[in-house]
C-alpha cells in the first residue's frame, strides 16, 4: 500500500498528486488504486510545500511477496481426477484431500454422496470432468476395463499436457495401452501402490510404491507436477521404488500372483478357525481373508495381463508334483522295510506282512513299484 501526505496542498495539487501516483502503479486496476491511495490531512508550513510518498509496512495482505508465497503454495497442490471411484479410488482420495489437493471423481456407479462427504467433487458426466482441466487423470479402474475406459475419455477436452497415471497391479499392459491411445503431448506415469484399503488402513509407512516415468515432457512445470504427485506418497512414508514396467511384472508374478494363487487354493479348502490355532495357521487364515476380499476379476487380470504368470503356474504345478513324489517316496521306503525287514541287508528276518492293509481276500495290499505317483488314487490334491 502507498499513502500520500502533503504539506499545505491545494485541491489542484492533491488531484495532481493522486494522478501522478496512479501513473506510477499502472499494474493495479483503477478501483484498487482508489482503495490503496489516500491523502493525509493538510499540514501548513510557512517555508515550502512538498509531496511525500511513503510505503506502508511490507507485510500487508496485498504485498507482492505475500502473493508469491501464496502462489508457490498453490502450485504444489494438484487437481486430481479419479476415474473409477470405487473402493480403491475412494481409499486414495481420502489421503489426497487430507494433503490439500483437489479431487474430481467420476465412476459408472453413483458415488456422489460419498464424494461429497469426503470433500471431493463428483461428476456424473466425464465430459464435464475433463472440461475442468485437471492436472492429473488417475485411472482406478479394473485391469479388464482399463482399455475401454481410456478410449471413452474425451481427450480433446483436456489440456494438451495432462498427466495420465494408473495404479494397476500389472504394469506393461497399461503402459502399452497408454502409448497406443494417448497422443504424444500427454504425459504418462505408471504406478503401483503395493497396498490397499486393508493393508494400508492405518498407515502407508514403509509400504512399497513402484513407479515408472514412461513419458514426461521436459518443461519445468511438467517435471514439477510429477514430483508433486509422487510427493503425496513420500509424505505418507511409502518406500519409493522406481522400476521399469517389465521388471515390475517379472517380480510381481513371483510374489503377488503366487500370493493370490495360494490364498485362493486355501480358500477352496474351506479352512476353519479352531480353538488350537497356531501362529502359522493364523497366517494362512489371514492370507485367505486378504485375497478372497478382492474380486476374481483382479486375480484373473493378474494372470491374463502379466505374461510371466503362466510360467509361475507351471512352476507351482511342478513344485507340487515334486513334493508329492518326495512324500510318497518316503512312504514306499517305510513299506519296503515293513515287508522285507533286514532281509535286503543279508539278514534272515521274514517280511512283516501283518501290519500292512489287507485286500478283501485277506492278502496284503502291496504298492506297485512301477506305479506313477501322479496317477495314484491316494495322491490327489484335495488334502481332506
Amino acid at each position: 500500500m502507498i499513502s500520500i501526505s502533503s504539506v499545505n496542498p491545494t485541491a489542484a495539487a492533491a488531484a495532481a498528486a493522486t494522478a501522478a501516483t496512479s501513473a506510477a502503479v499502472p499494474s493495479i486496476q483503477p478501483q484498487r488504486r482508489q482503495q490503496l491511495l489516500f491523502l493525509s490531512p493538510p499540514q501548513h508550513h510557512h517555508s515550502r510545500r512538498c509531496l511525500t510518498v511513503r510505503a506502508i509496512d511490507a507485510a500487508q495482505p496485498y504485498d507482492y511477496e505475500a502473493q508469491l508465497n501464496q502462489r508457490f503454495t498453490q502450485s504444489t497442490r494438484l487437481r486430481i481426477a479419479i476415474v473409477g471411484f470405487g473402493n480403491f479410488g475412494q481409499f486414495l482420495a481420502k489421503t489426497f484431500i487430507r494433503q490439500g489437493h483437489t479431487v474430481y471423481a467420476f465412476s459408472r456407479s453413483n458415488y456422489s454422496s460419498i464424494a461429497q462427504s469426503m470433500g471431493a467433487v463428483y461428476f456424473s458426466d466425464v465430459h464435464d470432468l475433463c472440461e475442468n482441466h485437471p492436472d492429473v487423470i488417475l485411472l482406478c479402474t479394473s485391469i479388464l476395463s482399463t482399455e475401454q475406459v481410456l478410449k471413452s475419455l474425451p481427450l480433446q477436452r483436456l489440456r494438451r499436457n495432462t498427466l495420465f497415471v494408473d495404479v494397476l497391479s500389472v504394469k506393461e499392459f497399461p503402459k502399452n495401452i497408454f502409448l497406443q491411445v494417448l497422443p504424444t503431448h500427454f504425459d504418462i506415469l505408471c504406478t503401483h501402490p503395493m497396498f490397499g484399503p486393508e493393508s494400508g488402513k492405518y498407515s502407508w509407512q514403509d509400504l512399497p510404491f513402484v513407479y515408472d516415468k514412461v513419458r514426461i515432457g521436459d518443461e519445468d512445470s511438467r517435471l514439477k507436477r510429477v514430483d508433486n504427485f509422487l510427493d503425496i506418497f513420500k509424505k505418507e512414508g511409502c518406500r519409493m521404488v522406481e522400476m521399469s514396467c517389465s521388471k515390475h511384472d517379472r517380480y510381481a508374478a513371483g510374489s503377488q500372483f503366487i500370493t493370490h494363487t495360494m490364498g485362493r487354493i486355501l480358500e477352496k479348502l474351506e479352512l476353519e478357525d479352531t480353538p488350537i490355532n497356531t501362529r502359522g495357521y493364523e497366517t494362512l487364515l489371514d492370507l485367505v481373508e486378504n485375497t478372497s476380499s478382492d474380486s476374481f476379476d483382479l486375480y484373473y487380470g493378474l494372470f491374463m495381463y502379466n505374461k510371466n504368470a503362466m510360467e509361475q503356474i507351471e512352476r507351482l504345478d511342478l513344485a507340487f508334483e515334486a513334493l508329492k513324489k518326495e512324500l510318497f517316496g518316503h512312504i514306499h521306503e517305510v513299506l519296503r522295510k515293513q515287508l522285507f525287514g533286514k532281509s535286503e541287508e543279508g539278514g534272515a528276518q521274514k517280511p512283516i506282512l501283518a501290519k500292512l492293509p489287507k485286500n478283501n481276500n485277506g492278502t496284503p495290499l502291496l504298492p506297485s513299484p512301477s506305479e506313477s505317483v501322479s496317477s495314484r488314487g491316494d495322491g490327489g490334491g484335495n488334502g481332506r
Side-chain angles (χ1 to χ4, degrees):
M1 296 177 62
I2 302 175
S3 69
I4 302 174
S5 61
S6 61
V7 181
N8 194 24
T10 62
T18 303
T21 308
S22 298
V25 283
S27 62
I28 304 178
Q29 298 178 355
Q31 297 86 347
R32 172 56 63 195
R33 286 201 298 266
Q34 292 176 6
Q35 297 174 14
L36 295 181
L37 300 175
F38 65 90
L39 295 175
S40 62
Q43 300 178 5
H44 298 278
H45 291 269
H46 297 290
S47 58
R48 58 191 180 91
R49 298 174 181 177
C50 65
L51 177 67
T52 304
V53 179
R54 71 174 181 270
I56 297 185
D57 180 32
Q60 294 297 321
Y62 297 101
D63 280 76
Y64 181 65
E65 292 86 352
Q67 293 180 27
L68 280 181
N69 290 335
Q70 184 178 14
R71 263 187 240 142
F72 177 77
T73 302
Q74 292 176 347
S75 69
T76 62
R77 296 175 181 172
L78 298 171
R79 291 172 297 171
I80 305 173
I82 299 179
V83 178
F85 202 61
N87 192 30
F88 194 74
Q90 295 168 25
F91 167 67
L92 294 178
K94 293 176 183 177
T95 298
F96 296 166
I97 294 171
R98 177 167 50 80
Q99 290 194 14
H101 302 283
T102 300
V103 171
Y104 302 147
F106 170 78
S107 196
R108 289 178 299 180
S109 303
N110 187 355
Y111 294 112
S112 56
S113 59
I114 296 178
Q116 183 178 5
S117 67
M118 67 173 62
V121 181
Y122 189 83
F123 292 88
S124 57
D125 191 319
V126 71
H127 289 259
D128 294 334
L129 179 144
C130 291
E131 286 179 350
N132 277 269
H133 295 164
D135 302 305
V136 179
I137 295 287
L138 181 64
L139 291 186
C140 287
T141 58
S142 68
I143 300 174
L144 304 182
S145 62
T146 297
E147 183 175 3
Q148 178 186 356
V149 171
L150 182 62
K151 290 181 176 179
S152 69
L153 296 179
L155 302 179
Q156 72 279 4
R157 299 186 184 275
L158 295 168
R159 289 188 304 175
R160 291 175 57 83
N161 66 348
T162 304
L163 172 63
F164 278 78
V165 183
D166 85 285
V167 289
L168 299 184
S169 299
V170 293
K171 293 273 62 73
E172 283 197 280
F173 170 69
K175 171 187 174 180
N176 294 333
I177 293 299
F178 279 165
L179 292 174
Q180 292 171 16
V181 176
L182 296 177
T184 56
H185 50 73
F186 287 118
D187 289 345
I188 299 173
L189 175 68
C190 289
T191 75
H192 182 195
M194 301 195 71
F195 51 90
E198 287 300 318
S199 56
K201 182 187 302 184
Y202 303 109
S203 172
W204 297 0
Q205 185 69 38
D206 297 327
L207 298 178
F209 181 87
V210 182
Y211 65 96
D212 185 7
K213 298 177 181 179
V214 176
R215 187 175 70 198
I216 307 298
D218 55 3
E219 292 91 339
D220 289 342
S221 59
R222 297 166 78 167
L223 296 172
K224 180 63 176 176
R225 179 177 56 191
V226 172
D227 290 340
N228 289 340
F229 182 81
L230 295 176
D231 280 345
I232 296 174
F233 300 89
K234 288 181 182 178
K235 290 177 182 177
E236 297 300 315
C238 290
R239 179 163 55 86
M240 308 299 289
V241 182
E242 186 170 8
M243 179 182 295
S244 70
C245 292
S246 60
K247 184 177 290 188
H248 166 276
D249 283 2
R250 201 160 59 245
Y251 285 139
S255 59
Q256 187 182 31
F257 178 70
I258 287 294
T259 300
H260 278 261
T261 299
M262 296 307 300
R264 291 191 175 273
I265 290 175
L266 294 173
E267 182 187 14
K268 299 296 184 184
L269 294 177
E270 299 179 357
L271 302 182
E272 297 180 354
D273 195 7
T274 73
I276 55 172
N277 288 356
T278 62
R279 288 186 178 181
Y281 189 71
E282 291 283 355
T283 301
L284 295 183
L285 293 177
D286 290 340
L287 175 61
V288 173
E289 182 180 0
N290 290 336
T291 54
S292 62
S293 62
D294 293 321
S295 68
F296 187 80
D297 281 350
L298 170 61
Y299 177 62
Y300 177 74
L302 293 175
F303 171 73
M304 187 68 181
Y305 295 99
N306 187 339
K307 64 182 182 181
N308 304 282
M310 178 58 76
E311 178 187 350
Q312 295 301 323
I313 286 283
E314 293 173 351
R315 293 180 72 242
L316 184 62
D317 189 46
L318 291 174
F320 188 49
E321 286 300 319
L323 182 61
K324 287 195 297 182
K325 288 180 180 180
E326 183 179 359
L327 181 62
F328 294 128
H330 280 280
I331 292 177
H332 185 70
E333 290 300 319
V334 171
L335 291 177
R336 286 183 62 85
K337 288 182 180 180
Q338 289 180 343
L339 283 170
F340 302 106
K342 297 182 179 180
S343 61
E344 292 184 339
E345 301 176 6
Q349 185 173 345
K350 295 182 179 180
I352 306 174
L353 301 180
K355 297 182 180 180
L356 291 176
K358 302 291 192 302
N359 286 321
N360 293 333
N361 58 8
T363 59
L365 182 63
L366 301 178
S368 173
S370 61
E371 184 180 9
S372 171
V373 174
S374 60
S375 63
R376 289 174 58 97
D378 58 352
N382 255 344
R384 300 192 202 179

